[in-house]
PDB file of all heavy atoms in Angstrom:
ATOM      1  N   LEU I 136     -16.299 -14.471   3.394  1.00 96.00           N
ATOM      2  CA  LEU I 136     -17.463 -13.799   2.824  1.00 96.00           C
ATOM      3  C   LEU I 136     -18.665 -13.758   3.904  1.00 96.00           C
ATOM      4  O   LEU I 136     -19.342 -12.790   4.013  1.00 96.00           O
ATOM      5  CB  LEU I 136     -17.932 -14.487   1.534  1.00 96.00           C
ATOM      6  CG  LEU I 136     -19.037 -13.798   0.848  1.00 96.00           C
ATOM      7  CD1 LEU I 136     -18.365 -12.795  -0.208  1.00 96.00           C
ATOM      8  CD2 LEU I 136     -19.954 -14.739   0.129  1.00 96.00           C
ATOM      9  N   GLU I 305       3.749   9.698  -1.652  1.00 43.00           N
ATOM     10  CA  GLU I 305       4.059  10.811  -2.608  1.00 43.00           C
ATOM     11  C   GLU I 305       4.982  10.364  -3.707  1.00 43.00           C
ATOM     12  O   GLU I 305       5.924   9.703  -3.548  1.00 43.00           O
ATOM     13  CB  GLU I 305       4.659  11.912  -1.814  1.00 43.00           C
ATOM     14  CG  GLU I 305       3.776  13.122  -1.791  1.00 43.00           C
ATOM     15  CD  GLU I 305       4.489  14.263  -1.066  1.00 43.00           C
ATOM     16  OE1 GLU I 305       5.421  14.018  -0.373  1.00 43.00           O
ATOM     17  OE2 GLU I 305       3.949  15.402  -1.207  1.00 43.00           O
ATOM     18  N   PHE I 325      -4.593 -19.623 -13.558  1.00 96.00           N
ATOM     19  CA  PHE I 325      -4.367 -20.810 -12.627  1.00 96.00           C
ATOM     20  C   PHE I 325      -5.422 -21.876 -13.011  1.00 96.00           C
ATOM     21  O   PHE I 325      -5.087 -23.057 -13.169  1.00 96.00           O
ATOM     22  CB  PHE I 325      -4.501 -20.390 -11.197  1.00 96.00           C
ATOM     23  CG  PHE I 325      -4.443 -21.567 -10.227  1.00 96.00           C
ATOM     24  CD1 PHE I 325      -3.232 -21.909  -9.633  1.00 96.00           C
ATOM     25  CD2 PHE I 325      -5.566 -22.241  -9.841  1.00 96.00           C
ATOM     26  CE1 PHE I 325      -3.139 -22.950  -8.734  1.00 96.00           C
ATOM     27  CE2 PHE I 325      -5.500 -23.281  -8.928  1.00 96.00           C
ATOM     28  CZ  PHE I 325      -4.299 -23.614  -8.448  1.00 96.00           C
TER      29      PHE I 325
END
Side-chain angles (χ1 to χ4, degrees):
Chain I
L136 188 90
E305 244 181 347
F325 176 92

